[in-house]
Amino acid sequence: MHSVQGEDGEALTRRDLLRRGAGGAAALALSGGALGAAASAVAAPARARYALGFTSMTAETRVPALPVDGTIPSWLSGSLLRNGPALFEVGEEAFNHWFDGLAMLHAFSITRGRVGYANRFLRSSAYDAWKQKGKILYSEFGTDPCRSVFSGVSSVPISAPIPNANVSLEAWANGFRAHTEVPIPVRFDPATLATLGVVPGSTGQMGTAHPHGDLVTRERFSYEVSLAPPKTGVRVLVEKAGKVRELAFLASAEPGYMHSFALTPRYVVLFQQPFIVNPGSFVTGPPRPIVEHFRWAGRTQPANVVVIDRHRGGVVRTIELDPFFVFHHVNAYERGGTIVMDVSGHIDSRIIDALYLKNLRRADQRLPAVKLRRLTIDVARGKVQVEQLAAASIELPRVNYGRVNQHAYRYAYGIGQRGPASGFVDQLVKIDVTRGSARLWREAGAYPGEPVFVASPSATREDDGVVLSVVLDARRRTSYLLVLDGRTFEERARATVPHHIPFGFHGIFTKR
Ligand SMILES: [Fe+2]
């Protein structure tokens, strides 16, 4: 190990869905692949070393004390809660895409230098279908159960009453929620990881897994995408004290896919990329997974930056720019009359194809490059400048959110690749966005997940704290919680789990 300073339940019927879709209330279960791509049937020439991270883990375990190497700071007290897919096969069927597997919640509980671990599947409708029927019954991001359940001609997604919320976690209004890209959060208990039910009230079919919470104003910002004709488009929402208000509705005949957005003191900013869907294709098109209804139109269509007044509502400015593809916003803030908005930018939507499990498990897999891009938005003049901030690749970006979200900042943390031959993510990165320099953590056979920054209670600098990441040790076939020093990016400790943890997406740290 070393640190390097470098550049680098109840199924709705088809008729129900058609009816509800026409009425604007159908919910898409969005999370992943077509049937029949079981791990055993992957036509890869060789299996990647890290493929263990895309292998199901079905045991629900609770380990009171993990073996710890190194010293965990005594001030670090609380739980790292994480979310991600953990089951990729259901009976004789298999999910196709990384985004599809059944959600499992994980908790690393840290107190006085000791670490406990527990996990539990989210009790989603898809989980119930697995346990009770041994089948995939609901549409996921890249998996379409219609192919086996029906022989009809339409592919209206089969929505789940309780979504397979396997993407991210949120602490809001004294409760904890799991999200996927359906705007129906699933509540859970952070102590027991028990599923508590859904948060009702959505009107769209897709949403964001990354709502923003303003800790000062106590406002929560999100969006929902309506794919139910005739009023299709994006609805931007703010919630305060339990009341939800629409800030803007961006009508669009072919809405684009979005995963996250940016928040500044005055604005909500959307990056609308030309990865678009004709909502009618869900009704008239042949059965296919949700994501396959979308198409990259970047050769003929621009991307749009849409600036929305977060206080008065309404669109302030829409600005076209050359297209690229974004899952994750890093941070945003205002500087005079401009908005500075940083994102993890992909060239186009090819990353979605790369994340099909049949591709990810191949030894010759190559992930498309992803770089930290800064959009400097001149709101008055309607201009956007785009620049690359660092050579190092970065995805699943995080910042010291409590301190720098909506403010000028210096450090972004993320996962990345040493180079194109890495195949998958094999290093953690800390980018100094003011200089473009990067500190890296990597180790042979180690494949780290999203780094979560936790500030020290005595912090004076932005990076005073630790960075937590769950790492797959492909050589030992186990996973461990890695604790890095926030400043130096050097290892302070690791706590090893007795089994592997499939690669997940996002997590949060909650103090005790
Ligand atoms: Fe995400």
Side-chain angles (χ1 to χ4, degrees):
M1 78 208 76
H2 61 286
S3 176
V4 181
Q5 181 85 46
E7 62 165 4
D8 308 293
E10 176 194 6
L12 297 181
T13 65
R14 173 175 296 273
R15 184 181 302 166
D16 287 337
L17 280 151
L18 286 167
R19 188 173 62 241
R20 291 177 62 176
L28 307 188
L30 190 65
S31 110
L35 302 178
S40 59
V42 170
R47 200 168 159 85
R49 283 192 306 168
Y50 49 81
L52 179 64
F54 298 107
T55 303
S56 296
M57 211 291 288
T58 57
E60 295 188 312
T61 60
R62 184 168 287 271
V63 184
L66 300 176
V68 175
D69 292 327
T71 304
I72 292 174
S74 58
W75 57 262
L76 188 62
S77 182
S79 293
L80 176 69
L81 304 171
R82 293 203 53 81
N83 195 358
L87 187 82
F88 299 102
E89 300 84 27
V90 174
E92 299 296 311
E93 303 168 343
F95 293 112
N96 291 335
H97 201 277
W98 187 17
F99 296 176
D100 294 349
L102 293 195
M104 178 178 272
L105 304 178
H106 308 263
F108 289 87
S109 304
I110 305 167
T111 182
R112 292 188 292 277
R114 296 168 66 89
V115 183
Y117 169 78
N119 65 35
R120 203 165 183 191
F121 279 105
L122 194 76
R123 266 45 175 183
S124 64
S125 302
Y127 173 90
D128 290 340
W130 168 41
K131 285 296 182 182
Q132 294 167 15
K133 302 194 174 173
K135 288 184 175 299
I136 296 171
L137 293 184
Y138 302 97
S139 301
E140 303 291 351
F141 186 77
T143 301
D144 175 28
C146 293
R147 285 189 169 169
S148 61
V149 177
F150 299 106
S151 58
V153 294
S154 85
S155 58
V156 174
I158 300 181
S159 72
I162 304 176
N164 176 29
N166 63 4
V167 176
S168 62
L169 301 176
E170 177 192 19
W172 186 252
N174 299 319
F176 289 79
R177 302 166 173 183
H179 291 275
T180 180
E181 292 179 317
V182 180
I184 305 174
V186 181
R187 297 184 300 116
F188 69 97
D189 183 331
T192 64
L193 302 182
T195 303
L196 301 177
V198 301
V199 180
S202 74
T203 58
Q205 288 74 53
M206 294 174 62
T208 179
H210 298 286
H212 276 287
D214 188 313
L215 304 177
V216 175
T217 65
R218 309 300 299 167
E219 294 169 301
R220 177 185 185 271
F221 295 85
S222 65
Y223 62 77
E224 296 179 359
V225 182
S226 171
L227 296 176
K231 196 177 180 186
T232 57
V234 182
R235 181 173 290 109
V236 181
L237 303 168
V238 60
E239 174 189 335
K240 185 168 186 177
K243 289 188 176 178
V244 178
R245 181 166 61 98
E246 180 179 304
L247 288 175
F249 183 79
L250 314 174
S252 173
E254 293 188 307
Y257 172 86
M258 289 188 296
H259 183 72
S260 63
F261 65 101
L263 181 70
T264 74
R266 285 190 287 174
Y267 304 113
V268 168
V269 189
L270 304 184
F271 180 80
Q272 291 189 307
Q273 52 210 355
F275 187 54
I276 58 176
V277 61
N278 177 346
S281 75
F282 286 112
V283 178
T284 59
R288 55 195 154 143
I290 293 167
V291 67
E292 293 182 19
H293 288 270
F294 286 78
R295 71 181 195 280
W296 178 252
R299 291 189 177 184
T300 57
Q301 294 189 20
N304 287 306
V305 166
V306 184
V307 181
I308 295 159
D309 187 317
R310 65 174 261 190
H311 301 292
R312 289 184 293 184
V315 174
V316 176
R317 187 70 74 177
T318 300
I319 309 165
E320 293 185 355
L321 69 160
D322 289 340
F324 55 97
F325 184 88
V326 172
F327 279 122
H328 294 112
H329 288 251
V330 182
N331 197 18
Y333 58 93
E334 294 166 31
R335 188 172 60 198
T338 64
I339 299 169
V340 176
M341 184 169 84
D342 296 344
V343 300
S344 284
H346 297 261
I347 294 170
D348 55 28
S349 63
R350 270 176 290 184
I351 181 63
I352 287 181
D353 288 337
L355 299 183
Y356 275 95
L357 292 165
K358 66 182 179 185
N359 297 329
L360 285 171
R361 291 168 175 147
R362 292 172 63 116
D364 59 355
Q365 162 72 331
R366 298 289 180 267
L367 289 181
V370 54
K371 302 292 185 180
L372 183 56
R373 293 188 183 186
R374 169 158 292 179
L375 286 70
T376 304
I377 304 162
D378 186 328
V379 179
R381 292 181 180 164
K383 304 275 187 193
V384 179
Q385 277 192 329
V386 182
E387 62 183 314
Q388 182 177 310
L389 288 186
S393 68
I394 181 169
E395 249 299 359
L396 303 184
R398 297 294 294 257
V399 296
N400 181 348
Y401 191 89
R403 178 171 172 139
V404 307
N405 182 50
Q406 307 181 49
H407 303 292
Y409 74 114
R410 186 164 177 183
Y411 299 112
Y413 309 88
I415 57 173
Q417 294 183 280
R418 300 182 200 200
S422 293
F424 194 61
V425 171
D426 58 357
Q427 64 184 17
L428 291 165
V429 58
K430 173 190 178 186
I431 294 179
D432 180 337
V433 303
T434 66
R435 297 181 177 182
S437 61
R439 286 181 182 270
L440 309 172
W441 178 91
R442 58 198 187 196
E443 183 176 297
Y447 298 93
E450 177 203 44
V452 175
F453 180 85
V454 185
S456 155
S458 59
T460 56
R461 285 175 34 152
E462 180 185 331
D463 56 350
D464 277 338
V466 295
V467 172
L468 305 178
S469 173
V470 176
V471 182
L472 176 75
D473 185 337
R475 294 179 303 182
R476 296 182 176 84
R477 302 185 67 78
T478 57
S479 295
Y480 56 88
L481 174 67
L482 177 69
V483 183
L484 297 181
D485 183 275
R487 276 200 192 189
T488 66
F489 227 44
E490 291 177 347
E491 178 172 343
R492 297 189 68 162
R494 66 176 65 184
T496 303
V497 177
H499 52 75
H500 86 283
I501 295 176
F503 293 128
F505 299 116
H506 301 289
I508 55 175
F509 187 82
T510 177
K511 291 178 183 170
R512 190 175 288 123

